[in-house]
């Protein structure tokens, strides 16, 4: 294989000869490699997506068997003041990275911890 003109120019400018195999690639070979890379990426994305979709379709909720847990959920759902307090805390203008965004994130963390979710 003889190097192409761009490779010869690069070699004459001091680029190491060991890189010639990478630099000296025919346009057809570049296209083949690009297509192969796209196919590999598509396959990886498809497998991951299929797995997520499969989990979504096959997920089964576990029944609540403890009356204590059921009462706690029912009380939390029927507490209108609690709902209003939570909405007031999170329904504020906030853009990512703002002080209000941080406030809401911390409020959600505390509320989830207090409920035993984290």
């Amino acid at each position: 294989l003889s190097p192409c003109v761009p490779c010869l120019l690069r070699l004459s400018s001091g680029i190491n000869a060991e890189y010639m195999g990478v630099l000296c690639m025919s346009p057809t070979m570049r296209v083949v490699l690009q297509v192969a890379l796209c196919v590999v990426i598509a396959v990886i994305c498809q497998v991951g997506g299929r797995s997520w979709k499969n989990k979504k379709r096959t997920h089964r909720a576990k029944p609540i068997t403890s009356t204590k847990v059921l009462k706690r959920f029912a009380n939390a759902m029927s507490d209108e003041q609690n709902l209003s307090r939570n909405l007031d805390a999170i329904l504020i203008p906030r853009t990512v990275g703002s002080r209000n965004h941080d406030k809401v994130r911390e409020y959600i963390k505390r509320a989830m911890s207090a409920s035993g979710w984290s």
Side-chain angles (χ1 to χ4, degrees), residues 4-15:
C4 62
V5 173
C7 289
L8 286 173
L9 292 174
R10 286 184 185 109
L11 284 171
S12 66
S13 67
I15 292 182

Side-chain angles (χ1 to χ4, degrees), residues 10-76:
R10 286 184 185 109
L11 284 171
S12 66
S13 67
I15 292 182
N16 200 338
E18 67 190 55
Y19 296 112
M20 191 174 333
V22 175
L23 296 174
C24 195
M25 188 181 303
S26 71
T28 305
M29 191 60 173
R30 277 197 187 111
V31 170
V32 168
L33 287 176
Q34 288 172 346
V35 169
L37 181 61
C38 289
V39 168
V40 168
I41 290 171
V43 167
I44 290 170
C45 291
Q46 192 67 8
V47 169
R50 190 177 311 137
S51 175
W52 180 84
K53 288 179 182 177
N54 188 32
K55 288 178 183 179
K56 180 179 160 185
R57 272 186 263 115
T58 59
H59 174 74
R60 299 288 176 242
K62 295 178 184 174
I64 297 174
T65 55
S66 166
T67 56
K68 182 180 174 182
V69 173
L70 182 59
K71 285 181 184 177
R72 186 177 58 147
F73 281 128
N75 289 336

